[in-house]
Amino acid sequence: MSNVNITPLADRVLVEPAAAEEKTASGLIIPDTAKEKPQRGIVVAAGNGKKDEPLTVKEGDTILYGKYAGTELSVEGKDYLIMREADIFAIIKS
Amino acid sequence: MSNVNITPLADRVLVEPAAAEEKTASGLIIPDTAKEKPQRGIVVAAGNGKKDEPLTVKEGDTILYGKYAGTELSVEGKDYLIMREADIFAIIKS
Amino acid sequence: MSNVNITPLADRVLVEPAAAEEKTASGLIIPDTAKEKPQRGIVVAAGNGKKDEPLTVKEGDTILYGKYAGTELSVEGKDYLIMREADIFAIIKS
Amino acid sequence: MSNVNITPLADRVLVEPAAAEEKTASGLIIPDTAKEKPQRGIVVAAGNGKKDEPLTVKEGDTILYGKYAGTELSVEGKDYLIMREADIFAIIKS
Amino acid sequence: MSNVNITPLADRVLVEPAAAEEKTASGLIIPDTAKEKPQRGIVVAAGNGKKDEPLTVKEGDTILYGKYAGTELSVEGKDYLIMREADIFAIIKS
Amino acid sequence: MSNVNITPLADRVLVEPAAAEEKTASGLIIPDTAKEKPQRGIVVAAGNGKKDEPLTVKEGDTILYGKYAGTELSVEGKDYLIMREADIFAIIKS
Amino acid sequence: MSNVNITPLADRVLVEPAAAEEKTASGLIIPDTAKEKPQRGIVVAAGNGKKDEPLTVKEGDTILYGKYAGTELSVEGKDYLIMREADIFAIIKS
């Protein structure tokens, strides 16, 4: 999963957002602009934390975050979000 | 109660809001948009706190919080609120 | 006085506001919307304070606070205010 | 001077404002709405200060403060201001 | 110079502003509202500083400060400015 | 690469932005105003960090930063960005 | 260069801005209002820094700063800028 050649700085984390669901529960196909932005993603790379505050999340963690968290970043044609760990709400245990 | 597979980060708490009452005191059925958002809920999962500041609330606590506290989060089809402990006003002793 | 089953968190205090006077000095009955919100109340329950900062007020204290201090909270059909100790101006000695 | 039964909390001070002058220098009587709010007053009661920061002003001090400092508070029919010590500019030596 | 009976609190300084020049370089008399507020003044009284931070300026220093620094204060019919030392830009050596 | 004669102060970094691509994926030539500002650049000079916080990036690092990070600075006819290290998202490993 | 009789306070620095260029590259004379404010200047006097934080720049340094950094100050008929060291981007090595 993590062979992007990117090292986030300090308390930042590179996240691959989960694909937005393309059908509603009743099976309707959702046109692109009506899709909800996903709030679930996978940590692809994590920074080294701030002085005396190592990060809690690590590469491979599935996380939940707010709808407007992070900045969109396109790396090698693929879309990622880069956010601070403080913008992450929770880890989903697998 | 707490078999959600979610670990809130730092000082965050996952809360299951109490169901809003569907009748007024006089027995009228309240249409959906007029219902007051509940301010009472149960802690379903709690984070590990911040550095040197463990959390006070724990899983299972019934809590009171402000009308606009937290962010709505849908986990496995069920609605939760995720909020910081600082947004919690008080614990209701049972 | 304090048999509410509520424990305020950290530096918060549960306050029972004094009843607003229902007559003006000249004896006129004041309609409900013209009544001034009281600025005096009794501490019904107090939190444990923040790390290294215990609270100064305690259960039973009569206090003065600003007109817009705190959040209204209805507990068992009775109206209270929950506020931070920093919103309290002074204690009235009895 | 200080027999009000009030104890300000922390870094707060209860101040009795000096009466606004009711004549201009040229002897005109000033109607009530045109009077400048006084900036001079006497400390009637002082709090215990914050942790490790005792207050500098004490009961009986005549002080100067900004036009909009403090909150008006009516105690036993008399008007006072309650303000933080940081809102006080200077002490007038007598 | 400093026989005002005023003690500024903490990091505050009482300043006597230099008189605004009443003529332009070309000799025109400037009407009162067009005069630039002076940015130069003399320290008339200085506070004791904040905890562990004594003040740098002292009584008698000629100082430069921003156009909008401080609060106007009238003491015994004379206009002063009371400002925090952080609002002072520089000392003019004599 | 780094023979600019400039030493950024404290936690600042001088960055040479990567040239914006002048064609779209489909080969269209992009007129100047439609070009996206690059988010990728090379650190040309780095400051000494703040007290007890040395910088993480160093001269020669290829970095990713937000669209609006930094201030444009023209040095010897060439355009650079000067930004704080906190505005840098990540380092691209080569 | 530095025989102004001025001592900036704390982390402030007195800067003599470089003269704005009066011709464009193509030799046109620029009318006064169209001239760009210079971003380059020379430190004429520097303060003693803040507690435990001495300044990095010193008298005689050529510096780069933001377009809107500092406050204009006229000393003995000459225009200077007084700014905090944090507003300085970089030192130009000579």
Side-chain angles (χ1 to χ4, degrees):
Chain A
M1 180 184 321
S2 167
N3 30 29
V4 289
N5 56 354
I6 280 178
T7 313
L9 282 190
D11 59 338
R12 278 183 239 256
V13 165
L14 189 71
V15 175
E16 184 183 333
E21 284 166 48
E22 272 164 57
K23 295 190 181 187
T24 62
S26 55
L28 279 173
I29 284 150
I30 311 170
D32 211 65
T33 53
K35 267 188 260 178
E36 263 209 335
K37 279 175 69 183
Q39 294 182 291
R40 180 189 292 243
I42 291 165
V43 175
V44 171
N48 287 318
K50 288 185 167 175
K51 214 185 140 192
D52 301 324
E53 289 185 66
L55 294 191
T56 303
V57 301
K58 59 180 195 307
E59 213 183 295
D61 279 352
T62 300
I63 57 166
L64 293 171
Y65 51 86
K67 265 186 192 158
Y68 306 107
T71 302
E72 288 176 17
L73 203 66
S74 179
V75 183
E76 291 149 30
K78 211 165 159 180
D79 291 334
Y80 294 95
L81 286 170
I82 191 143
M83 62 183 71
R84 294 177 182 275
E85 192 185 72
D87 294 330
I88 301 175
F89 291 152
I91 299 174
I92 301 183
K93 287 171 280 190
S94 53
Chain B
M1 181 185 321
S2 168
N3 30 29
V4 288
N5 56 352
I6 279 178
T7 313
L9 282 190
D11 59 338
R12 278 183 238 256
V13 165
L14 188 72
V15 175
E16 185 183 333
E21 284 166 48
E22 273 164 57
K23 295 191 180 184
T24 62
S26 55
L28 281 173
I29 284 149
I30 310 170
D32 212 63
T33 53
K35 267 187 259 178
E36 264 209 336
K37 279 176 69 184
Q39 293 182 291
R40 179 188 291 243
I42 291 165
V43 175
V44 171
N48 288 316
K50 289 185 165 176
K51 214 185 140 191
D52 301 324
E53 289 184 66
L55 294 191
T56 303
V57 300
K58 58 180 196 305
E59 215 183 294
D61 280 352
T62 300
I63 57 166
L64 293 171
Y65 51 87
K67 264 185 192 160
Y68 305 106
T71 302
E72 289 176 17
L73 203 67
S74 178
V75 183
E76 291 149 31
K78 209 165 160 180
D79 291 334
Y80 294 94
L81 285 170
I82 191 143
M83 62 183 72
R84 295 177 181 274
E85 193 185 71
D87 294 329
I88 300 175
F89 290 152
I91 298 173
I92 302 184
K93 287 172 278 189
S94 54
Chain C
M1 182 185 322
S2 167
N3 30 29
V4 289
N5 56 351
I6 280 179
T7 312
L9 282 190
D11 59 338
R12 278 182 238 256
V13 165
L14 188 72
V15 175
E16 185 185 332
E21 284 165 49
E22 272 165 59
K23 295 192 182 184
T24 63
S26 56
L28 281 173
I29 285 151
I30 311 169
D32 212 63
T33 53
K35 268 187 257 178
E36 264 209 336
K37 279 176 70 185
Q39 294 182 291
R40 179 189 291 244
I42 291 165
V43 174
V44 170
N48 288 317
K50 288 183 165 177
K51 214 185 142 193
D52 301 323
E53 289 184 67
L55 294 192
T56 302
V57 299
K58 57 180 197 306
E59 214 183 294
D61 280 350
T62 300
I63 57 166
L64 293 171
Y65 51 87
K67 265 185 192 160
Y68 306 106
T71 302
E72 289 175 17
L73 203 68
S74 177
V75 184
E76 291 148 31
K78 210 165 161 181
D79 290 335
Y80 294 95
L81 286 170
I82 192 145
M83 62 182 72
R84 296 178 181 274
E85 192 185 71
D87 294 329
I88 300 174
F89 291 152
I91 299 174
I92 302 183
K93 288 172 279 190
S94 54
Chain D
M1 182 184 320
S2 167
N3 32 27
V4 289
N5 56 351
I6 280 178
T7 312
L9 282 190
D11 59 339
R12 277 182 239 257
V13 165
L14 188 72
V15 175
E16 185 184 333
E21 284 165 49
E22 271 164 60
K23 295 193 181 184
T24 62
S26 56
L28 281 173
I29 283 150
I30 312 169
D32 210 64
T33 53
K35 266 187 259 178
E36 264 208 336
K37 279 175 71 186
Q39 294 182 290
R40 180 189 289 246
I42 290 166
V43 174
V44 171
N48 288 317
K50 288 182 165 178
K51 214 185 143 194
D52 301 325
E53 289 185 65
L55 294 192
T56 302
V57 300
K58 58 180 197 305
E59 214 184 296
D61 279 351
T62 301
I63 57 166
L64 293 171
Y65 50 87
K67 265 186 191 158
Y68 306 106
T71 302
E72 290 175 16
L73 203 68
S74 178
V75 183
E76 291 149 30
K78 211 167 162 180
D79 290 334
Y80 294 94
L81 286 170
I82 192 146
M83 61 183 72
R84 295 178 181 276
E85 193 185 70
D87 294 330
I88 300 174
F89 291 152
I91 299 173
I92 301 184
K93 286 171 281 191
S94 54
Chain E
M1 181 184 321
S2 167
N3 31 28
V4 289
N5 55 352
I6 280 179
T7 312
L9 283 189
D11 59 338
R12 278 183 238 254
V13 165
L14 188 71
V15 175
E16 185 184 332
E21 284 164 49
E22 270 163 60
K23 295 193 182 185
T24 62
S26 56
L28 280 174
I29 283 150
I30 311 170
D32 209 64
T33 53
K35 265 187 260 177
E36 264 208 338
K37 279 175 71 184
Q39 294 183 290
R40 181 189 290 245
I42 290 166
V43 175
V44 171
N48 288 316
K50 288 184 166 177
K51 214 185 142 194
D52 300 325
E53 289 185 67
L55 293 192
T56 302
V57 300
K58 58 180 196 306
E59 214 185 295
D61 280 352
T62 300
I63 56 166
L64 294 171
Y65 50 86
K67 265 187 190 156
Y68 306 107
T71 302
E72 289 175 16
L73 204 66
S74 178
V75 183
E76 289 148 32
K78 211 166 161 180
D79 290 335
Y80 294 95
L81 285 170
I82 192 145
M83 61 181 73
R84 295 179 180 275
E85 192 185 70
D87 293 330
I88 301 175
F89 290 152
I91 298 173
I92 301 184
K93 287 171 281 191
S94 54
Chain F
M1 180 184 322
S2 167
N3 30 28
V4 289
N5 56 352
I6 280 178
T7 312
L9 282 190
D11 59 338
R12 279 183 238 255
V13 165
L14 189 71
V15 175
E16 184 184 334
E21 286 166 47
E22 272 164 57
K23 295 191 181 187
T24 63
S26 56
L28 280 173
I29 283 149
I30 312 170
D32 211 66
T33 53
K35 266 187 263 179
E36 264 208 336
K37 279 176 70 184
Q39 293 183 291
R40 179 189 291 244
I42 291 165
V43 174
V44 171
N48 287 317
K50 289 184 166 176
K51 213 184 141 193
D52 302 324
E53 288 185 66
L55 294 192
T56 303
V57 300
K58 59 179 194 308
E59 213 184 295
D61 280 351
T62 300
I63 57 165
L64 293 171
Y65 51 86
K67 265 185 193 159
Y68 306 107
T71 302
E72 289 175 16
L73 203 66
S74 179
V75 183
E76 291 148 31
K78 211 165 159 180
D79 290 335
Y80 294 94
L81 285 170
I82 191 143
M83 62 183 71
R84 296 179 180 275
E85 191 185 72
D87 294 329
I88 301 175
F89 290 153
I91 299 174
I92 301 184
K93 287 171 279 191
S94 53
Chain G
M1 181 184 321
S2 167
N3 30 29
V4 290
N5 56 351
I6 280 178
T7 313
L9 282 189
D11 59 338
R12 279 183 237 254
V13 165
L14 189 71
V15 175
E16 185 183 333
E21 286 165 47
E22 271 164 58
K23 295 191 182 187
T24 62
S26 55
L28 281 173
I29 283 150
I30 312 170
D32 211 64
T33 52
K35 265 187 260 178
E36 263 208 337
K37 278 176 70 183
Q39 294 183 291
R40 180 189 291 243
I42 290 165
V43 174
V44 171
N48 288 316
K50 288 184 166 176
K51 213 185 141 194
D52 301 324
E53 288 185 68
L55 294 192
T56 303
V57 300
K58 58 179 196 307
E59 214 183 296
D61 280 351
T62 300
I63 57 166
L64 293 171
Y65 51 85
K67 264 186 192 157
Y68 306 107
T71 303
E72 289 175 17
L73 204 66
S74 179
V75 183
E76 290 148 32
K78 212 166 160 181
D79 290 335
Y80 295 94
L81 285 170
I82 192 144
M83 62 182 70
R84 296 179 180 274
E85 192 184 71
D87 293 329
I88 301 175
F89 290 153
I91 298 173
I92 302 184
K93 286 172 279 191
S94 54

